[in-house]
Each structure stands twice: as C-alpha cells, then as structure tokens.
Amino acid sequence: MTPHVTAFFDNATNTVSYVVVEPNGTQCAIIDSVLDYDQAAGRTDTASADQIIAHVREHGLSVAWILESHVHADHLSAAPYLQEALGGKIGIGDQITVIQDTFGKIFNEGTQFQRDGSQFDGLFKDGDSLHIGQMRCDVMHTPGHTPACLTYVIGDAAFVGDTLFMPDFGTARCDFPGGSADDLYNSIQRILSLPDETRIFVGHDYKAPGRDEFAWETTVGEQKALNIHVGSGKPLEDFVAMRTARDAKLGMPRLILPSLQTNMRAGHLPEPDDNGTRYFKVPINTL
C-alpha cells in the first residue's frame, strides 16, 4: 500500500509531525505531534496541534492511532490534546518502561509515578503490527538514540523518528541515558534493509549547510548511497568513533527537561501541587 502522508513542520523545534491516511479510506494515524511550549513564560499553546486537528476534520478523517516514535527530548507531545479532540489510541514502544524508570529517578518522581507504561493505550514491541483501517503498520524496535525508539513501517513508508535525518545531515545523537552508537548503527542497518524505494520520513530537519529548504522525505536507496554518516557501507567502527566524538561536543536540547517530564507521561503535564499549579523540576548538575 501507498499511504497518503501530510507533513506538519514546527519551526520552533524543527520537528516534523505526520498524518498518515489509508489509500482508499478515511482512517489515519498521527505521528510525533507537538505541543507548543514557551520556556521563558512557562506557558503551553496548541497552535501546532490545532493545525493537525483542522486538517483531520477538513478531510473527514478518523484517527485510529496517535503514535510516538520515542520519548522526545526536544519538544512536548500533544497526544492527549489530540486524543480529546479527535479520539484514537496513544501508542509507543514497550521499552518506555526503561525510560520511565531512568527519568523517574532523575526527577525524583516517587511511587505515585507509574513506571509500567500504563499512561499509554498501546505498547509495541519489535515485530508487532497494528491496523489503520485496512492499512497495516509494522513495528521495528530501532534503539540507539534512546532505548525505546521505534520505526513504523506503513506500506511503502517508514517513519524513523530521530534515528535517521536527511542524507546530508546524517544520524541522531546517542549520548542520552541508555543511548548507544553501536545500537543505532545496527538499527539503521535494519531500516536500510527495507526495499530501496521505501519512502523514509524523518522526525526533524535542520537544513544541512548549503541547503536552502527544509526537507523530511527521502528513500532507503538515497540513504544507503548518500547519508554522510552511514552511507556507502561505512563500517561500524568508523560510525561509532564519529558519533562518539560528535556527541561529546553537543549541548543539551533546549526543552529536554520539560519534554522528558511530559512525554514519559504520554504527553500529560505533571500533576499539580496542592496549590493547583503544575511545575517542571530542574535537576541541578545531573544531566
């Protein structure tokens, strides 16, 4: 099958969200949505998510799934807001429990924070499949950027999250807790084993030097030939050395602290304190 794919680019976080529709029907999935967040003001906004809601309603679509490729560290998920407006189930990889355990400790969440993934409606493991109307989505566990990253293969399209970027930009960082350059390389090889004509939709774009426009769609064949980090058969040892040296120079994402606290809860903000106000924690000298 060849699903219809509509992309929504968020300039503030360089995130690409997708609405994926079955070819001859109205069932769809939403992948990697964005809840806008003003860090300085501590204020959320739904403008980006509202664009998706408007698109779904305008085209008479029915949402089957709201999918997360992983627990994002650079933007807040709008999954609960979209679910309330449009319905559908929220899904993520079953290794979310590893992320919840790791960051539950970092943020000292206590026993009231469930670390079993129960905040999500569906937890997927490698080899699982789900249906979007008559369209099947196959799940690949592709860790490396985080332990819980998934790639969703829907017909001739693969939604890779932060595993791969456009060929001229390369691959994802691996220095977050539980990340692994070795794992990322092996995960990428699995993605590149898909047919060359498979469309790849990336989770972010930052415009590589010399490119004037943002882009988010490529193919397996283009990645195999042209990706600056893994293309042309680059060996594992070279990739790990490159990725390790590159990651050591990277700063933390601007929204990593609020993003993790929200996204490990399936997009729900932390519970309010006894004064009715919700707060994000800032662990000092921890990350």
Side-chain angles (χ1 to χ4, degrees), residues 70-75 98-99 102-103 106 143-149 162-163 165 171-181 183-184 204 206 243-244 246-257 259-260 263 286-287:
H70 63 295
V71 173
H72 310 278
D74 43 32
H75 71 271
V98 176
I99 305 298
T102 298
F103 288 100
I106 288 174
H145 175 57
T146 80
C149 289
D162 291 11
T163 302
F165 296 131
T171 59
R173 65 192 298 167
C174 302
D175 58 329
F176 296 150
S180 165
D183 287 348
L184 183 65
H204 296 280
Y206 303 95
R243 193 69 262 173
T244 302
R246 186 181 178 90
D247 290 350
K249 300 174 183 177
L250 297 177
M252 285 290 107
R254 179 175 57 89
L255 296 182
I256 185 171
L257 297 177
S259 294
L260 291 173
N263 297 338
T286 301
L287 292 179

Side-chain angles (χ1 to χ4, degrees), residues 26-269:
T26 59
Q27 292 284 311
C28 71
I30 300 168
I31 301 178
D32 289 344
S33 62
V34 173
L35 179 70
D36 304 307
Y37 181 64
D38 183 339
Q39 175 92 307
R43 186 170 296 277
T44 61
D45 190 82
T46 61
S48 294
D50 288 338
Q51 292 181 35
I52 293 176
I53 292 171
H55 175 84
V56 168
R57 289 176 174 167
E58 178 185 351
H59 291 85
L61 304 178
S62 178
V63 176
W65 284 98
I66 302 169
L67 301 173
E68 305 285 358
S69 61
H70 63 295
V71 173
H72 310 278
D74 43 32
H75 71 271
L76 283 64
S77 169
Y81 178 75
L82 292 171
Q83 185 179 52
E84 183 177 357
L86 300 171
K89 298 179 180 179
I90 301 173
I92 201 169
D94 66 349
Q95 294 303 298
I96 178 61
T97 56
V98 176
I99 305 298
Q100 290 176 328
D101 184 61
T102 298
F103 288 100
K105 293 173 182 175
I106 288 174
F107 293 113
N108 195 30
E109 291 292 346
T111 57
Q112 70 273 17
F113 173 60
Q114 299 298 311
R115 294 162 168 82
D116 59 0
S118 57
Q119 300 88 342
F120 298 82
D121 301 311
L123 301 178
F124 310 121
K125 62 180 183 296
D126 188 62
D128 280 351
S129 63
L130 54 127
H131 281 82
I132 305 158
Q134 298 301 309
M135 185 169 60
R136 193 178 81 180
C137 170
D138 294 312
V139 175
M140 295 174 61
H141 181 217
T142 47
H145 175 57
T146 80
C149 289
L150 295 183
T151 291
Y152 296 105
V153 182
I154 308 175
D156 73 340
F159 298 85
V160 299
D162 291 11
T163 302
L164 281 165
F165 296 131
M166 292 300 288
D168 58 0
F169 203 86
T171 59
R173 65 192 298 167
C174 302
D175 58 329
F176 296 150
S180 165
D182 290 81
D183 287 348
L184 183 65
Y185 182 89
N186 292 326
S187 293
I188 290 170
Q189 300 312 306
R190 290 192 65 195
I191 294 170
L192 298 185
S193 71
L194 295 168
D196 281 359
E197 63 272 17
T198 302
R199 296 180 291 163
I200 287 183
F201 293 91
V202 301
H204 296 280
D205 188 54
Y206 303 95
K207 282 199 296 191
R211 175 154 52 86
D212 295 330
E213 302 293 334
F214 289 111
W216 43 78
E217 181 179 349
T218 178
T219 66
V220 166
E222 289 172 351
Q223 292 281 11
K224 285 164 66 173
L226 302 175
N227 188 285
I228 60 172
H229 292 168
V230 293
S232 303
K234 181 170 289 188
L236 170 64
E237 296 77 11
D238 290 355
F239 175 79
V240 171
M242 177 280 301
R243 193 69 262 173
T244 302
R246 186 181 178 90
D247 290 350
K249 300 174 183 177
L250 297 177
M252 285 290 107
R254 179 175 57 89
L255 296 182
I256 185 171
L257 297 177
S259 294
L260 291 173
Q261 291 172 79
T262 301
N263 297 338
M264 69 182 184
R265 292 178 164 88
H268 294 283
L269 298 172

